[in-house]
Amino acid sequence: MSQRPVTEVVAAVLTQPDGRVLLAQRPPGKVYAGYWEFPGGKVEPGESLATALARELHEELGIVVTRAGRWITRLFEYPHAAVRLNFFRVFGWQGEPHPHEGQVFSWQQPDAVEVTPLLPANFPILKALSLPPLLGISRAESLGVDSFLARLDIALHNGLRLIQLRDKTLPEAVRLQLARETVNRARPFGARVLINGSLDLARAAGADGVHLDSAAAADLTARPDCEWVGVSCHDAAELSHAAAIEADFALLSPVLPTLTHPGATALGWEAFSALAGASPIPVFGLGGLERDDVPLARSHGAHGVALLRGAWT
């Protein structure tokens, strides 16, 4: 970023139950007229972000927000201004959105947007929004390969669409075969598979990308050359580095005490919220959480939750 003053902006991701999000076309007479963006606007002096969000959506769309949570924060430099985009996910509102300022609106699936042109800042946002709210971390080491694959089939039928294949202690040949089989079973459902560790293994298995532990990520100065990259993080410095290497998302843990790491200090929701809300990339909560905790996690700034045991039961 340059040394220009930064304009604080709130941006709202209104989300329908089917995953569609609301985009608005900037009206004539404004900078970037005709471009599509998320609804929102400038934060007034002395105004909190939540208050600005409620005001902007009432003024611009005529709705009253009933359920919303911080999501991510991104800095973006346009030719005319430097802005800090404070994104909120909005899942509940009263009233039907309609234009109060002459805009055109359109509900769009994040991974299949049909309106154009988009404001440049929104391309990574739409990619992030295509991530599902649940991430399953494999347990073939403890369950056994055959049992894990049987549970994978059930999870896929029940809607799991993002899988991290971990199981690092398996022999390399076994792990490659497991990775290939996981990818083959995931493909018909449109589910993505990320391999924890090796980019070579991910490519050999035909996976969608890699997931890096914090140590592996710390050794990198650039993004691995693949479609999707996740990083495991435990604090602000690791989250910042994950964003610096342009990871697509992070896992932040442990949120709550866990059976697997009983002595580890849990972040708690307050610390998690502060870290997730300030992150420029979406954050999944990990540790002590269940699939039913997605709404709670989202209310604290999470994109969703990552599950180890809970994904396969």
Side-chain angles (χ1 to χ4, degrees):
M1 296 290 290
S2 71
Q3 298 305 307
R4 290 191 294 176
V6 175
T7 300
E8 295 287 347
V9 171
V10 289
V13 183
L14 275 73
T15 307
Q16 296 275 23
D18 64 1
R20 288 179 300 152
V21 297
L22 187 67
L23 294 176
Q25 189 175 37
R26 292 178 66 83
K30 287 195 174 183
V31 177
Y32 284 100
Y35 279 73
W36 292 83
E37 63 179 354
F38 292 96
K42 293 180 182 179
V43 179
E44 299 294 342
E47 194 175 39
S48 72
L49 296 179
T51 299
L53 178 79
R55 176 185 53 76
E56 283 287 345
L57 293 186
H58 188 258
E59 291 175 356
E60 189 174 340
L61 306 179
I63 63 173
V64 175
V65 175
T66 59
R67 187 161 63 94
R70 288 290 301 275
W71 182 43
I72 60 175
T73 303
R74 294 183 69 92
L75 291 168
F76 196 85
E77 190 151 6
Y78 291 100
H80 69 287
V83 299
R84 181 182 288 110
L85 296 164
N86 300 277
F87 281 91
F88 285 74
R89 299 292 300 274
V90 181
F91 295 100
W93 59 88
Q94 294 175 348
E96 186 66 27
H98 59 279
H100 278 204
E101 299 175 356
Q103 317 95 315
V104 177
F105 298 135
S106 182
W107 292 97
Q108 297 282 312
Q109 287 290 348
D111 57 355
V113 171
E114 298 175 345
V115 295
T116 189
L118 292 170
L119 277 180
N122 290 323
F123 287 103
I125 303 304
L126 289 165
K127 184 180 183 184
L129 287 169
S130 73
L131 289 166
L134 283 175
L135 185 156
I137 302 172
S138 66
R139 292 188 63 211
E141 292 164 325
S142 57
L143 293 172
V145 170
D146 290 341
S147 178
F148 166 71
L149 290 173
R151 296 184 188 209
L152 171 66
D153 287 340
I154 295 171
L156 289 167
H157 277 94
N158 288 338
L160 185 66
R161 295 295 180 264
L162 184 60
I163 301 152
Q164 179 202 139
L165 191 77
R166 191 162 62 176
D167 303 306
K168 294 183 179 181
T169 64
L170 292 177
E172 197 67 15
V174 174
R175 195 163 183 246
L176 174 58
Q177 183 57 38
L178 173 62
R180 286 174 170 164
E181 188 62 32
T182 299
V183 170
N184 287 340
R185 296 181 186 218
R187 281 287 178 267
F189 294 91
R192 301 184 181 101
V193 179
L194 277 63
I195 305 300
N196 189 314
S198 167
L199 181 57
D200 290 339
L201 179 60
R203 288 172 172 164
D208 299 280
V210 295
H211 188 89
L212 308 171
D213 62 32
S214 55
D219 290 335
L220 298 180
T221 58
R223 174 191 172 91
D225 184 17
C226 54
E227 183 179 1
W228 289 93
V229 177
V231 177
S232 291
C233 300
H234 308 89
D235 55 36
E238 291 177 356
L239 275 174
S240 178
H241 184 69
I245 62 172
E246 299 182 329
D248 296 296
F249 66 90
L251 305 189
L252 183 58
S253 68
V255 180
L256 302 176
T258 68
L259 294 174
T260 53
H261 298 87
T265 301
L267 291 164
W269 283 119
E270 183 176 354
F272 179 92
S273 295
L275 292 170
S279 172
I281 60 176
V283 176
F284 287 82
L286 171 64
L289 304 178
E290 303 294 340
R291 64 178 67 241
D292 291 341
D293 290 322
V294 168
L296 175 64
R298 281 175 160 173
S299 74
H300 288 91
H303 183 83
V305 300
L307 304 174
L308 183 59
R309 289 178 173 81
W312 320 111
T313 55

